[in-house]
Structure formats: C-alpha cells, structure tokens
Amino acid sequence: MTDVKTGINPLFLREEELRQGIELLFFAYRDFTAEPDAILAEYGFGRAHHRVIYFVGRNPGMTVSDLLGILRITKQSLSRVLGQLVDEGFITQRPGARDRRQRLLELTEKGTEMERLLTERQRARIARAYREAGAEAVEGFRKVMLGLIDEGDRPRFPVRPPGRR
Amino acid sequence: MTDVKTGINPLFLREEELRQGIELLFFAYRDFTAEPDAILAEYGFGRAHHRVIYFVGRNPGMTVSDLLGILRITKQSLSRVLGQLVDEGFITQRPGARDRRQRLLELTEKGTEMERLLTERQRARIARAYREAGAEAVEGFRKVMLGLIDEGDRPRFPVRPPGRR
DNA sequence: CCATATATGTCAACATGACTGACGTAAAAA
DNA sequence: TTTTTACGTCAGTCATGTTGACATATATGG
C-alpha cells in the first residue's frame, strides 16, 4: 500500500490529484464568471444573458435549436432570456432562407458592444493565465479540457463560418 | 497585420485561441456538473448541496466562515442549504474548542457516503481526461487553471489537515 | 393533397439558489 | 464593560432553471 521508494501511498496521491482537479475547476469557474456577472447585474441581466450573447456573437445566424443544444436548457428558459435581449435591442431574429420556421439569431451593434464589454474581462484573464503558463502548458490545458467534455460535444476549433441557412 | 511566413493574421489567431479557452471552460464545467446534478435531483438537492458536502468532506472541522469564503455566497443562502443537510443527517455541527461561537462542520457517515456517490463521477471524468492527455498535459492544465484563479484564492495542494480549532 | 413531423413560441405553475436588509444571541476581545 | 465577531433567522425579491400543455407556421413524406 506504501511505495517502497517514496514512502508515499500512490493511491492517496492519485486521490489527491483528482480532488485537486475538481477544485481547480470549481475555483477557476467561480472567478471566471464573477467579473462579467458584476457587469451584467448593472444592466439587470444575469449569466444566462451573457451565455446567449456570447454564443450568438460567436455563431452569427445560428438557430434557436442550435443555441438550446449548446446551453442545454429548455426552450422556456431560453425564451425568457432571449426575449429580453431581442426586446432591448441586443439581438435580432430573421427567418431562415431555406427553412422559414427558423429564427436566425444575430447580434445588433449594441449587442456586439455588450459582448465585447463582457467577454473582454474573460479574454484578459485567459490571456494572462496563458502567458504566465507558457505555450506548452496551454497545449496541455487544451488537451485535458477537451477530455473533460462529453465526447460528441467537443467543440472543433477554429469555428467555421455558418453555412447557408 | 498578416504574418509574412504563415499568411495568417496573428491577432486573429490570438483572439481565436482565447475564445477557445472561454468555450472550453464553459463546456467542461457544463458536462462536469451534469452527472452529479442528475443524482442530486433524485434526493431533492441541488448543486449547492454538493458544494457544501464536497468542501466539508475535504476540510473536516471547517467553520461556517471558511465555507462562506470558499463558496462566495451570503450566509443567508448557505444557511438554507446547510440547514437542510444538518436536518437530514448529512452534516454535524459542534462548537469550536477554543472559540465556542464557531460551528465546526463535519460529514456524518451518511454524508460521507453521499459525497462519494456524487464526487465519484467527477473523479472518474477527470481521471479519464488525465489518462488520455498524459502527465505532461496534466501539468500544463494545472498551471493554466491556477493562473485563472484570483491571486490569493489559489488553493495549495496537497491540502493540509485542519489545525486545532 | 393530406397527414405528420419539426421549429418555435407561449402560458402557467413551481423549485432552487442567489440577493438585500434587519434583527438577535452568544461568546470573544479590547 | 463595551464592542466586535460568529452565526442564525425572518422577510422579501430576483434570476434561472424545471414540467406540462397548447398554438402556429412551415416542411416533408406517402
């Protein structure tokens, strides 16, 4: 049970290592969301608004279904948040060219500005962490993070432009 | 604006790289919490219960203040969740030896069992990702994740046992 | 053409987990 | 002895998630 060479229980090390991973995820996510959350609160928005703005900005012309698939929430939950963003002029909807049942989503200028305001902090945080850790560490980070995501849901980078809708 | 050697705009690459980081965090956290959330729902609990159980299990004898500092929520928010866990026999409170105002928190046997049930999935997920990515990648992952956490809040590993309270 | 499936939206009711603000108690510290 | 600290509680509010039921417009397959 105890390694003869190191005098350390390897199972304990493994357990400790995995718990460290759990905690890193918790703390990183906590701090990663705290800054945008504070800005959002000033606008009467919440984290859900940020997520919608982010992904619509990232995938202009995406459908509501696409967004539901990414966020993994119900359409009723999304509709409240999306409705607010449309009403307040952050997002526009237009019918799909091939399938007119679809409402293709896009950021307005105002939405783009808000996206920048919110995401800028997160980009800065990541840039700092990447810079401090170095290119090799970043590669490792990416590998592990991709492995944490359910197979089949792993995003492909770089994101390709949206196809004809 | 365009790199002569690669024909690629380095600013675009950097932007893409950072957005990838944002998305990796979102997707990893989404999938990381989904499994325990599903189990918790069966018990009428939510993610907040898991966090309390996790950190109390990790730091037996921790105070309510310690927990508030980690979770970064208000005592009113914590009290409901913590109260439920105490009422239902997952957590015990006992007064501190040196400072009897404190309520030192510990998992009961039932709480320990629940902790294992919930965290086991997350440990397995991390173990898989670590195994697939390799030791070097794991080191890079740790470096980057620590850099994402606010300075001063970075956990030190391994966690040392709690001092005399 | 008609029946069915799909994309989206809406109404209603509810749970969870966060918040603020105010007030209370017991114990420690000055 | 006064003040501060650790913790709890009551009350109200908000954001974000859930289910379930129903509606509308459009696409698609027999």
Side-chain angles (χ1 to χ4, degrees):
Chain A
M1 206 41 129
T2 300
D3 187 297
V4 178
K5 292 196 206 73
T6 62
I8 288 172
N9 177 343
L11 275 185
F12 172 76
L13 261 193
R14 179 181 166 72
E15 168 77 11
E16 179 64 27
E17 193 179 23
L18 297 179
R19 286 196 177 267
Q20 177 191 19
I22 290 177
E23 287 156 45
L24 286 173
L25 273 167
F26 171 77
F27 289 116
Y29 200 77
R30 184 197 67 178
D31 292 346
F32 184 68
T33 49
E35 283 180 300
D37 281 359
I39 300 171
L40 286 156
E42 295 170 23
Y43 290 81
F45 289 155
R47 197 178 292 177
H49 298 86
H50 187 190
R51 294 199 279 245
V52 169
I53 287 177
Y54 179 86
F55 283 108
V56 171
R58 181 70 153 149
N59 305 100
M62 78 190 306
T63 67
V64 173
S65 290
D66 291 343
L67 194 48
L68 286 174
I70 287 175
L71 300 179
R72 294 263 209 281
I73 58 176
T74 60
K75 63 178 176 175
Q76 295 92 326
S77 296
L78 175 58
S79 92
R80 190 175 24 210
V81 170
L82 186 54
Q84 286 174 324
L85 291 171
V86 170
D87 287 350
E88 299 187 30
F90 292 91
I91 285 182
T92 55
Q93 297 177 311
R94 61 181 165 80
R98 285 211 315 252
D99 185 338
R100 289 184 319 194
R101 292 171 303 179
Q102 297 177 329
R103 312 272 177 102
L104 308 189
L105 306 174
E106 264 170 39
L107 294 186
T108 62
E109 184 125 353
K110 191 179 168 189
T112 305
E113 222 174 286
M114 175 63 91
E115 198 280 332
R116 233 188 313 268
L117 174 66
L118 293 171
T119 307
E120 157 186 294
R121 315 302 193 94
Q122 296 190 318
R123 273 203 308 266
R125 181 179 290 266
I126 293 187
R128 180 171 49 73
Y130 277 11
R131 196 174 346 103
E132 288 170 3
E136 197 178 311
V138 170
E139 202 34 60
F141 167 77
R142 277 203 275 249
K143 252 195 218 165
V144 172
M145 290 297 276
L146 278 171
L148 288 173
I149 299 169
D150 285 346
E151 201 164 4
D153 287 332
R154 294 181 184 150
R156 287 155 294 294
F157 299 103
V159 170
R160 63 208 182 295
R164 272 293 93 205
R165 303 273 187 183
Chain B
M1 210 38 133
T2 300
D3 188 296
V4 179
K5 293 198 204 75
T6 61
I8 288 171
N9 176 344
L11 275 185
F12 172 76
L13 260 194
R14 179 178 166 73
E15 169 77 11
E16 178 65 25
E17 194 180 22
L18 297 179
R19 285 195 178 270
Q20 178 191 16
I22 291 177
E23 287 157 45
L24 287 174
L25 274 167
F26 171 76
F27 288 115
Y29 200 76
R30 183 197 66 179
D31 292 347
F32 184 68
T33 50
E35 283 180 300
D37 281 359
I39 299 171
L40 287 155
E42 294 170 23
Y43 290 82
F45 288 155
R47 197 177 294 177
H49 298 84
H50 186 188
R51 295 199 278 245
V52 170
I53 287 177
Y54 179 85
F55 283 107
V56 170
R58 180 70 153 150
N59 306 98
M62 77 190 306
T63 67
V64 173
S65 291
D66 290 342
L67 193 48
L68 287 174
I70 287 175
L71 300 180
R72 292 261 208 283
I73 59 176
T74 59
K75 63 177 175 174
Q76 295 90 329
S77 295
L78 176 58
S79 90
R80 189 179 20 210
V81 170
L82 185 53
Q84 286 174 327
L85 291 171
V86 170
D87 287 349
E88 300 187 29
F90 292 92
I91 286 182
T92 55
Q93 297 178 312
R94 59 181 167 81
R98 286 212 313 251
D99 186 338
R100 289 184 319 196
R101 293 170 304 177
Q102 297 177 330
R103 315 269 176 104
L104 307 189
L105 307 173
E106 263 170 37
L107 294 186
T108 61
E109 184 124 354
K110 191 179 168 191
T112 304
E113 221 176 286
M114 173 64 90
E115 198 279 331
R116 234 189 312 270
L117 174 66
L118 292 170
T119 306
E120 157 186 296
R121 316 300 192 95
Q122 297 189 317
R123 272 203 309 266
R125 181 179 291 266
I126 293 188
R128 180 170 49 72
Y130 277 11
R131 197 174 344 104
E132 289 170 3
E136 197 178 313
V138 170
E139 201 33 60
F141 168 76
R142 276 203 275 250
K143 254 196 218 165
V144 171
M145 291 296 276
L146 279 170
L148 288 173
I149 298 168
D150 286 346
E151 201 164 3
D153 286 333
R154 294 181 185 150
R156 287 155 297 292
F157 298 103
V159 170
R160 62 204 181 296
R164 272 294 89 206
R165 304 271 189 189

